[in-house]
Amino acid sequence: MGTTTPTKQTPIVEHSLEVGHFTFYQNIVVGVFSEGVHATFENATIPIQIATQLYGTEEPIIYISHRKNSYSMDPVGCREVVDLFPNFKAFGIVALNKRRRMLANLERLFIKKPIRVFDNLEAAFIWAEELLMQETKP
């Protein structure tokens, strides 16, 4: 169930969990939550723990949520998860339909990090890589 990406990046590792499938690249994590899941603080901390093991607490990370499936989310829990991960720099959302894009825009009220909504994964990766290049400049 791997996530394909048009960039030159190759996955470091992939994890299929009950809550969803997560692909870890160099400084970018792509998550696809499972159909019908309710994402909470409790079940979202597992991917964060994996990311912390891979990247540590200093390496800048961008998370891309690829919204292929329909699921619900606890926005307060999502904010708490983001607060647990200090090197989380930005949040990209790939939403393929208008309703999911509108819901993604509501998340800006809860997550105090840069958020950008895309209609395809390629654009999200390009944005993430540009942000990471800015982050590493002296």
Side-chain angles (χ1 to χ4, degrees), residues 9-134:
Q9 290 207 28
T10 55
I12 297 169
V13 66
E14 296 187 49
H15 285 274
S16 287
L17 307 169
E18 188 175 323
V19 71
H21 185 84
F22 299 86
T23 307
F24 298 83
Y25 298 87
Q26 181 179 343
N27 301 86
I28 298 173
V29 179
V30 178
V32 179
F33 280 93
S34 300
E35 183 71 35
V37 130
H38 180 64
T40 64
F41 175 79
E42 290 77 19
N43 62 18
T45 56
I46 297 167
I48 294 294
Q49 290 169 348
I50 295 168
T52 302
Q53 290 172 350
L54 285 172
Y55 306 116
T57 57
E58 301 294 320
E59 198 73 26
I61 303 301
I62 295 179
Y63 178 77
I64 299 173
S65 176
H66 195 180
R67 308 269 169 99
K68 291 181 176 182
N69 300 316
S70 179
Y71 63 92
S72 62
M73 177 176 27
D74 171 14
V76 175
C78 185
R79 182 183 64 219
E80 291 171 350
V81 169
V82 169
D83 291 344
L84 279 180
F85 201 52
N87 42 333
F88 172 77
K89 299 300 179 189
F91 189 58
I93 300 170
V94 178
L96 304 178
N97 67 44
K98 186 177 181 178
R99 182 176 178 272
R100 288 186 186 153
R101 283 192 294 275
M102 286 180 5
L103 289 172
N105 282 315
L106 289 175
E107 292 173 39
R108 288 189 171 115
L109 299 173
F110 298 96
I111 299 172
K112 302 304 179 198
K113 299 281 184 178
I115 296 178
R116 183 106 179 257
V117 180
F118 302 91
D119 59 8
N120 67 75
L121 190 57
E122 179 177 4
F125 258 92
I126 291 168
W127 168 79
E129 290 170 341
E130 288 173 357
L131 273 181
L132 288 166
M133 284 191 338
Q134 293 171 7

